[in-house]
Amino acid sequence: EQSRGVVIGPQGVVDTRISSVWRFQDSTGGWRVSLAPDFLALETNKYTSRDDFLERFERVLVALRECIDPQVIDRLGVRYIDRVSGEENMRDLPVLIRPEVAGVMATPLAPHTLQALSENMFSLPGGAGQLIARWGLVPAHSTVDPAAIDPVDESSWLLDADAFLADTRPLDIDDVMAQARNLAINVYGFFRWVVTDEFLKRYGGTR
């Protein structure tokens, strides 16, 4: 597919650019690799474990090195998106997520709330990068990111956590994999801070 971008250059000159994005998807539709001139992404809606995801990501990186051989990386990110939906689960939000995050959804105003979204940015320990976390109530048939989050037919509560490193450095697969694992661990740590033991119990988590 092709995407079109508009860049405002010197003296206000408008430069319209068209770039191609190649999408590779498995037969189940659960895994997708996107490749463009300036990015590579691995996405799934069938996540099972960190190890499984990172093993697949490493295979994609190796293929990229063998076929294209880019020399540098500008940004590495690991993003997890979790959604709570269903009348019972939405009603129980105050016992599924901690009060600091539940916000208005843990008050008597919750039944009257149509939308409630928050965004925060954090620095990760040891200079490991940054984390942008967005959460809140999203109305039915709406989304906060059309490229990554499909709208659904009912209101839902989203947690969107994106941990990333943004600095230009040589593309070394071993280093990238170590950094990706560390970013994933930090995202999970934030997720565990957000949710309660009741959340894990209800959705089949173990720790």
Side-chain angles (χ1 to χ4, degrees), residues 8-127:
I8 307 299
Q11 291 80 47
V13 175
V14 178
D15 179 12
T16 302
R17 304 176 182 180
I18 298 177
S19 61
S20 297
V21 181
W22 290 268
R23 311 282 190 189
F24 306 93
Q25 189 166 282
D26 72 349
S27 59
T28 69
W31 290 86
R32 184 173 75 174
V33 174
S34 299
L35 176 64
D38 58 351
F39 78 87
L40 171 73
L42 173 64
E43 307 164 74
T44 185
N45 57 19
K46 293 189 175 181
Y47 183 88
T48 57
S49 71
R50 183 187 308 142
D51 287 342
D52 175 64
F53 185 87
L54 291 176
E55 286 171 7
R56 293 170 185 264
F57 179 54
E58 185 171 19
R59 293 201 295 270
V60 171
L61 277 182
V62 169
L64 179 72
R65 171 55 59 83
E66 292 175 350
C67 297
I68 300 176
D69 195 23
Q71 298 301 302
V72 298
I73 180 172
D74 293 317
R75 186 185 191 277
L76 173 66
V78 177
R79 182 181 183 186
Y80 286 82
I81 300 170
D82 298 279
R83 169 179 268 149
V84 174
S85 60
E87 183 177 347
E88 180 182 0
N89 295 323
M90 294 296 290
R91 185 177 62 248
D92 291 347
L93 270 176
V95 299
L96 298 177
I97 56 178
R98 63 186 302 133
E100 299 93 330
V101 177
V104 70
M105 301 307 294
T107 75
L109 290 175
H112 309 285
T113 303
L114 300 178
Q115 178 174 299
L117 297 170
S118 298
E119 178 174 306
N120 296 270
M121 178 178 286
F122 308 94
S123 61
L124 296 177

